[in-house]
């Protein structure tokens, strides 16, 4: 194939590159080389990659080119370079979860998602930074440094799909896969100016992906455009009988949904979330008002609606998800807590204070929340709210913030339907601002349709972060902040120590302070979930038989 060789191959969208490859005007090999060259030049400033699989990528690109030249063109992802958050298992390629405890782990099988992308002919460039086991904030005490934001390298990328956000924004991958348990696709998409989709729970298999929370994990794409997001989703969606949560439903043509026409669609605005419960800066509010004007100008009907307060959803998600995370990592935490980073410990250790009844209460309350929102889906095609941003400074993060603040993204993990983050402008400092589009379960196509129409009507996809490939940049990390001693009575500290010992945990003084700091928040969350319930008022939790005739 001839090489088009423009200076900005790394800024082509997937759709643009796919059309050139299909027309034999662009070589997958040259495209892959362009990205590998870009990674070598720019990634030392960003730390997006934990591992670059250059040799395998070029082999896959050569095979893709050979197949296409022989007439075996598999579709729009054939020959497209992409990267993976390093929680996706890759056969024969190290998969670490960005954790010291798994830094030498090499899987023998691919995740279902990886296998689907291989079958589509996509080219894997490497494995991307995350937060430890897809949990926590930026950590400065792990074997690899945290990823930096391409729009300002002193700022946070968002988490936990931090490397995925940085890589796509900086032109180090055409697309990436992330995961979203409480916002971990949408947060970095928002702070890095991308499109990030948390698909409907069960739409994409999670088999072969490091588990954060069985109940709340979603795998999904992160791309520069909505069209690219739809292209990847079309390849990933589908039933996996080996994932118990996988939905056996027909997969629609997500690309066909991108008509640009949203006339008559009814959209509910969750203004209370971003103005009262999780207040966003004035610049985000202004950008949201401008985005609403665009949607109305495109013919959508927008009116304000309300759902539960964001803190209610945070209570359910955190009590449930931290319990499940602890169950996954209990053996490692008991054997050697010091092998984990402090940010991970500052969240996960507190699960020893969550009682079985608290976990069950969270699951039961979640079912109530999902049922409460059903009437909204009879009236509205989608909901919208603000996303996070602008990006904070990287060294401003403190673990305790996880426990102190509700989130704009977490409610939609609890509700389980699709939620997409996209750019709606920039701050005066040039930092991306964002909006979320939320849909009813399995209405992913409608969410993409609305986001695509907005994207077409606005100029934001024409702006990329300015990165000088020749620039030198200090990646010195700040010291790990000391945990703030928890102001709790001595008797309560003794009780916490007893619970930790009974759980088989051997904690040093610093680790114990992390546990104590979280304790008041765990107690408050669990207490809010202890509402009176009748004996016969709730006939199930989350378990049900599937696959049986008549069920």
């Amino acid at each position: 194939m001839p090489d088009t060789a423009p200076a900005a191959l790394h800024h082509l969208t997937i759709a643009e590159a796919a059309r050139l490859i299909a027309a034999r005007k662009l070589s997958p090999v040259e495209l892959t080389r362009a990205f590998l060259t870009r990674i070598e030049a720019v990634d030392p400033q960003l730390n997006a990659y934990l591992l670059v699989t250059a040799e395998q990528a070029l082999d896959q690109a050569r095979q893709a080119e050979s197949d296409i030249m022989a007439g075996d063109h598999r579709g729009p992802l054939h020959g497209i370079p992409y990267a993976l958050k390093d929680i996706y298992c890759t056969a024969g390629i190290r998969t670490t979860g960005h954790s010291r405890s798994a830094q030498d782990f090499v899987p023998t099988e691919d995740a279902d998602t990886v296998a689907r992308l291989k079958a589509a002919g996509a080219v894997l460039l490497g494995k991307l930074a995350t937060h430890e086991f897809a949990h926590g904030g930026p950590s400065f005490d792990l074997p690899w440094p945290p990823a930096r934001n391409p729009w300002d390298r002193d700022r946070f990328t968002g988490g936990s799909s931090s490397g995925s956000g940085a890589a796509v924004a900086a032109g180090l991958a055409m697309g990436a896969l992330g995961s979203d348990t409480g916002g971990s696709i949408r947060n970095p998409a928002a702070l890095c100016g991308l499109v990030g989709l948390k698909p409907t729970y069960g739409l994409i298999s999670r088999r072969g992906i490091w588990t954060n929370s069985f109940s709340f994990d979603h795998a999904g794409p992160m791309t520069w455009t909505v069209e690219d997001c739809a292209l990847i989703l079309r390849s990933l969606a589908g039933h996996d009988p080996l994932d118990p949560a996988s939905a056996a439903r027909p997969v629609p043509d997500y690309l066909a949904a991108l008509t640009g026409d949203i006339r008559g669609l009814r959209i509910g605005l969750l203004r209370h979330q971003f103005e009262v419960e999780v207040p966003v800066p004035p610049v985000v509010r202004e950008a949201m008002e401008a985005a609403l004007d665009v949607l109305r100008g495109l013919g959508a009907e927008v009116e304000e609606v309300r759902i539960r307060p964001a803190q209610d959803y945070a209570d359910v998600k955190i009590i449930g998800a931290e319990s499940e995370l602890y169950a996954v990592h209990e053996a490692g935490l008991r054997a050697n807590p010091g092998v984990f980073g402090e940010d991970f410990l500052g969240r996960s250790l507190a699960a020893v204070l969550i009682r079985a009844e608290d976990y069950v209460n969270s699951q039961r309350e979640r079912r109530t929340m999902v049922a409460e929102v059903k009437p909204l889906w009879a009236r509205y095609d989608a909901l919208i709210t603000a996303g996070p941003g602008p990006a904070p400074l990287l060294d401003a993060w403190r673990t305790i913030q996880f426990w102190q603040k509700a989130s704009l993204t977490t409610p939609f993990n609890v509700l389980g339907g699709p939620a997409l983050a996209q750019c709606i402008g920039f701050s005066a400092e040039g930092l991306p601002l964002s909006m979320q589009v939320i849909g009813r379960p399995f209405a992913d196509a409608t969410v993409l349709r609305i986001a695509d129409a907005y994207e077409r009507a606005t100029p934001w996809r024409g702006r990329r972060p300015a990165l000088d490939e020749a620039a030198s940049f200090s990646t010195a990390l700040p010291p790990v902040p000391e945990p703030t001693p928890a102001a709790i009575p001595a008797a309560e500290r003794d009780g916490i120590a007893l619970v930790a010992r009974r759980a088989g945990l051997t904690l040093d003084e610093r680790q114990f302070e992390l546990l104590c700091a979280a304790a008041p928040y765990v107690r408050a969350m669990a207490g809010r979930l202890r509402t009176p319930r009748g004996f016969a008022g709730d006939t199930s939790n989350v378990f049900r038989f599937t696959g049986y005739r008549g069920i």
Side-chain angles (χ1 to χ4, degrees), residues 2 95 260 273 368 475 517 519:
T95 302
Q273 285 190 336
T368 301
T475 56

Side-chain angles (χ1 to χ4, degrees), residues 225-304:
T225 67
V226 176
E227 182 182 21
D228 288 356
C229 196
L231 285 170
I232 294 179
L233 181 63
R234 189 167 64 175
S235 288
L236 297 182
H239 181 53
D240 175 11
L242 299 182
D243 177 354
S246 181
R249 297 174 63 98
V251 176
D253 185 347
Y254 298 109
L255 204 61
L258 308 185
T259 62
D261 184 1
I262 59 171
R263 288 174 295 179
L265 291 187
R266 301 197 65 193
I267 298 175
L269 172 63
L270 302 173
R271 187 183 295 277
H272 65 99
Q273 285 190 336
F274 62 88
E275 289 195 352
V276 179
E277 297 160 12
V278 189
V280 297
V283 66
V284 178
R285 293 176 61 172
E286 293 168 9
M288 280 295 297
E289 293 305 319
L292 294 174
D293 288 342
V294 171
L295 293 172
R296 292 187 181 107
L298 292 169
E301 301 174 22
V302 181
E303 62 184 45
E304 292 188 29

Side-chain angles (χ1 to χ4, degrees), residues 145-190:
R148 293 176 177 267
N149 195 313
W151 298 93
D152 179 344
R153 289 163 294 184
D154 289 327
R155 294 185 182 270
F156 188 25
T157 58
S160 63
S161 305
S162 52
S164 300
V168 176
L172 308 183
M174 302 199 85
L177 298 192
S179 65
D180 196 313
T181 305
S184 292
I185 286 173
R186 289 159 291 148
N187 285 324

Side-chain angles (χ1 to χ4, degrees), residues 8-20:
L9 277 179
H10 56 269
H11 282 165
L12 288 174
T13 68
I14 292 174
E16 290 167 344
R19 287 190 283 269
L20 291 171

